[in-house]
Amino acid sequence: MKVLTISGYKPFEIGIFKKDHPSVLFIKAAIKKFLLPMIEDGLEWVLISGQLGVELWAAEVIFEIQKEFPNLKLAVITPFLEQEASWNETNREWYESVLAGADYIDSVSKMGYEKPWQFRLKNQFFIEKSDGLLLLYDHEKEGSPKYLYELAIQYQKNHAFSIDLITFYDLQMIVEEEQYKQADF
């Protein structure tokens, strides 16, 4: 696998309202745990659309990993121009910091937001341009990742395409691993 798409929930979909919420550490740890073996097997590019939540946390993980694996590249390919226009200042600054570290930036649609078809087009683009998908998504909790997941499942029927899910169970295992490490024996 040379190119991986990473996506998942927006923060509010999983009850996170600050980018430094304690749960974010476990989400980032889960992303890193999935990414490292892929990098060692030749992963070169990670694609995100720059949406708030899992995608920007994944970008921060990639920036950290790039210190050890400088050949890993990050592409931020937004669904449309100026997707951050309606975001608050804190979220815009977070997004801008990710763009500043990205190796490639572009937009699928070369116009501002018009209609939901731009998100469908973005999902199609990401599936077709990557070899696999790493998605923070749990069937128990529907949300925006559902659409990308369903499209990936359809695509996988006719193409060699890897789908890895980080579920809430996986996150719970990370929490327990971290608690075990912190335990004072």
Side-chain angles (χ1 to χ4, degrees), residues 19-155:
K19 80 177 201 112
D20 59 352
H21 187 281
S23 298
V24 172
L25 294 174
F26 301 113
I27 293 169
K28 287 175 151 185
I31 292 167
K32 187 173 185 177
K33 185 176 182 177
F34 272 86
L35 271 180
L36 287 175
M38 293 178 184
I39 294 165
E40 290 168 0
D41 286 342
L43 181 66
E44 297 174 2
W45 280 92
V46 172
L47 309 181
I48 63 169
S49 68
Q51 77 179 15
L52 296 172
V54 171
E55 293 190 15
L56 294 188
W57 294 321
E60 291 173 338
V61 169
I62 289 158
F63 297 151
E64 178 187 320
I65 289 173
Q66 283 176 329
K67 293 171 187 164
E68 188 177 345
F69 298 95
N71 292 337
L72 181 65
K73 304 287 186 236
L74 175 68
V76 180
I77 304 172
T78 64
F80 44 84
L81 298 176
E82 298 175 359
Q83 75 171 345
E84 76 284 8
S86 64
W87 298 354
N88 67 38
E89 185 178 344
T90 302
N91 288 337
R92 276 198 308 271
E93 287 173 2
W94 181 23
Y95 174 73
E96 294 293 333
S97 74
V98 167
L99 290 182
D103 299 287
Y104 181 81
I105 302 167
D106 202 355
S107 293
V108 176
S109 172
K110 307 298 184 204
M111 56 188 85
Y113 177 75
E114 289 192 345
K115 300 227 185 260
W117 63 264
Q118 290 167 301
F119 293 107
R120 288 191 298 275
L121 190 63
K122 181 258 312 180
N123 287 346
Q124 188 72 40
F125 176 89
F126 274 74
I127 298 293
E128 291 176 0
K129 296 296 182 190
S130 62
D131 305 312
L133 172 65
L134 176 59
L135 190 66
L136 175 55
Y137 178 65
D138 198 301
H139 299 289
E140 308 277 319
K141 171 90 172 110
E142 286 203 353
S144 59
K146 170 185 161 187
Y147 303 103
L148 183 57
Y149 177 70
E150 289 175 349
L151 187 64
I153 292 292
Q154 288 302 314
Y155 186 79

